[in-house]
Amino acid sequence: MTNVAQEQKKRVLSLIQPTAMPTLGNYLGALKNWKEMSRDYDCIFGIADLHALTSRPNPGELRRQTLEMFALLLSLGLDPDENIVFVQSHVCAHSELSWILNCYTQFGEASRMTQFKEKSHKQSDNINIGLFAYPTLMAADILLYLTNFVPVGADQKQHLELARDVAERFNGIYGNVFTVPEPFIGKKGAKIMSLQDPAAKMSKSDANPKASVSVLDEPDTIFKKFKSAVTDSEAQVRRAEGKDGIVNLMTIYSCCTGKDFDAIEREFEGKGYGDFKSAVAEAVIEELRPLREKYKSVVADKSYLADCAVKGAAAAARVSARTADKVKKKVGLWQKP
Ligand code: TYM
């Protein structure tokens, strides 16, 4: 590709925490879009291992999970020569800018973050400052790369809005330093719900293993989880109030097959939930099959993973250092002579 063509491409960035293998929710809300966008945009994708520290994970487990998540991103089909794929802690500008942005973020606006409130409730014995400053590290991730679009699920929208506010505030004081990013939230799949409680988001940290599907679950396991998904007693596949479980399954089916809700309702007219659940499970199994198969070989190739991580970190450092240097100069830090 020519440099001109590369320059015209808009930049896309997103990260994922390595706290557990991604769920079908992470996949349909974010990862699937990452892969699709990687063809048309200048993409940077990363693993938010610094964010993961806010829940004080076991060190050995965090290291293993980071490596596995890195392998998973490469298995998605993100070409590490065309896109930057990196680990957040390998690029020091993230921590540096996040500190500076803390000084341009108000206590009141960070206190309003619903994810902070939810996580404070979940880990009430460890409400650390990192948990509170989580969104400013996320803003640093995004703003360092002059990102245009951020593909995320609906749960990250509020954090994105904060990143935009901080960027606008900073630009208002110092001139146009940052690009103000736009969230990219898919029309469907932005909020996949738990299979056991359709009122709750499907989450990696759910204690009930039947509530979520991991992207690496074996076909048998996926099948069983969909068979036991909570629905309702009406036995009609259609959108309606009080049918959140069925609507969630219709969303998943639609994301995996490309069929819209009208077509799904027609397809299952007169059929029971048993048939529908089997069809959803089969569609998910087929959607995830290439990823699961590729992952097995990629995760076993430690030297390939190491090479890609080194290459990704170097490329990310090159881009982010330009913004970090500019910011340091603007705020009045003495440049290293
Ligand atoms: P994380 O690791 O919680 O989730 C990764 C991505 O998956 C999306 N997601 C969902 N989408 C649909 N349905 C669900 N049930 C569901 N659960 C999760 C999330 O919205 C996210 O896009 N703070 C971020 C990571 C991050 C980041 C960034 C993202 C760090 N820095 C910079 C974008 C830009 C997080 O914890 O994602």
Side-chain angles (χ1 to χ4, degrees):
M1 184 195 315
T2 65
N3 282 340
V4 176
Q6 246 164 358
E7 271 166 28
Q8 285 167 348
K9 282 186 168 185
K10 296 266 188 198
R11 178 159 291 154
V12 163
L13 170 139
S14 199
L15 274 66
I16 183 165
Q17 290 197 72
T19 35
M21 255 307 143
T23 65
L24 184 63
N26 298 124
Y27 177 82
L28 296 178
L31 301 179
K32 190 169 158 56
N33 291 332
W34 295 13
K35 187 182 165 206
E36 279 160 18
M37 293 176 103
S38 71
R39 287 184 223 119
D40 302 321
Y41 295 91
D42 171 15
C43 289
I44 304 182
F45 296 120
I47 300 181
D49 56 345
L50 293 172
H51 278 106
L53 293 180
T54 55
S55 57
R56 202 179 303 160
N58 170 287
E61 234 165 70
L62 176 62
R63 250 186 301 278
R64 178 182 55 76
Q65 287 172 325
T66 303
L67 193 97
E68 289 176 356
M69 187 68 89
F70 194 69
L72 190 92
L73 295 193
L74 296 176
S75 312
L76 273 177
L78 303 172
D79 179 346
D81 292 316
E82 287 285 324
N83 312 285
I84 298 179
V85 186
F86 78 110
V87 175
Q88 185 188 37
S89 69
H90 293 177
V91 182
C92 58
H94 291 252
S95 320
E96 213 173 40
L97 184 64
S98 109
W99 172 257
I100 296 175
L101 295 183
N102 280 338
C103 305
Y104 294 83
T105 306
Q106 298 307 299
F107 184 86
E109 57 189 346
S111 313
R112 282 196 289 278
M113 296 295 112
T114 50
Q115 203 162 84
F116 170 66
K117 292 182 199 162
E118 279 166 19
K119 288 197 176 167
S120 302
H121 187 67
K122 242 190 204 163
Q123 54 183 74
S124 56
D125 55 341
N126 182 19
I127 308 174
N128 57 73
I129 291 178
L131 203 59
F132 188 65
Y134 184 108
T136 49
L137 175 57
M138 185 163 155
D141 298 338
I142 298 166
L143 301 181
L144 272 174
Y145 298 90
L146 309 180
T147 303
N148 301 103
F149 301 113
V150 185
V152 282
D155 61 339
Q156 296 300 318
K157 189 164 178 266
Q158 198 186 25
H159 288 161
L160 249 297
E161 277 158 11
L162 183 68
R164 286 170 57 85
D165 290 347
V166 173
E168 278 167 358
R169 180 172 308 140
F170 197 93
N171 286 350
I173 305 171
Y174 301 106
N176 277 339
V177 177
F178 296 128
T179 301
V180 180
E182 302 277 345
F184 178 91
I185 298 177
K187 285 194 190 71
K188 50 185 184 186
K191 195 167 186 195
I192 299 296
M193 310 310 279
S194 154
L195 298 184
Q196 291 298 312
D197 174 9
K201 181 183 84 164
M202 184 181 284
S203 162
K204 295 179 219 165
S205 58
D206 202 310
N208 181 353
K210 285 185 181 167
S212 69
V213 170
S214 153
V215 293
L216 296 182
D217 274 349
E218 292 294 333
D220 267 7
T221 312
I222 296 179
F223 204 80
K224 282 190 198 128
K225 285 180 179 176
F226 278 103
K227 280 296 200 183
S228 69
V230 168
T231 49
D232 54 74
S233 53
E234 192 199 47
Q236 269 189 45
V237 178
R238 62 181 187 101
R239 283 154 289 193
E241 197 128 323
K243 293 178 69 75
D244 296 346
I246 282 296
V247 171
N248 190 38
L249 295 183
M250 288 172 79
T251 304
I252 294 171
Y253 190 63
S254 169
C255 289
C256 295
T257 60
K259 295 175 186 171
D260 64 23
F261 274 26
D262 289 337
I264 298 172
E265 286 178 358
R266 280 196 302 274
E267 184 179 348
F268 292 96
E269 215 177 320
K271 296 191 184 147
Y273 284 169
D275 288 346
F276 179 52
K277 285 177 171 181
S278 302
V280 180
E282 289 304 339
V284 170
I285 290 167
E286 287 320 309
E287 174 72 30
L288 296 177
R289 188 185 299 284
L291 175 61
R292 193 177 53 249
E293 286 174 358
K294 183 93 191 289
Y295 175 80
K296 285 181 190 149
S297 61
V298 174
V299 77
D301 193 345
K302 298 289 181 284
S303 73
Y304 172 69
L305 291 175
D307 286 350
C308 290
V310 169
K311 194 159 60 182
R318 259 195 314 278
V319 182
S320 57
R322 281 197 289 264
T323 314
D325 284 348
K326 195 167 176 188
V327 167
K328 285 194 259 180
K329 207 164 163 184
K330 290 279 186 189
V331 299
L333 299 177
W334 185 24
Q335 304 287 101
K336 199 157 57 183

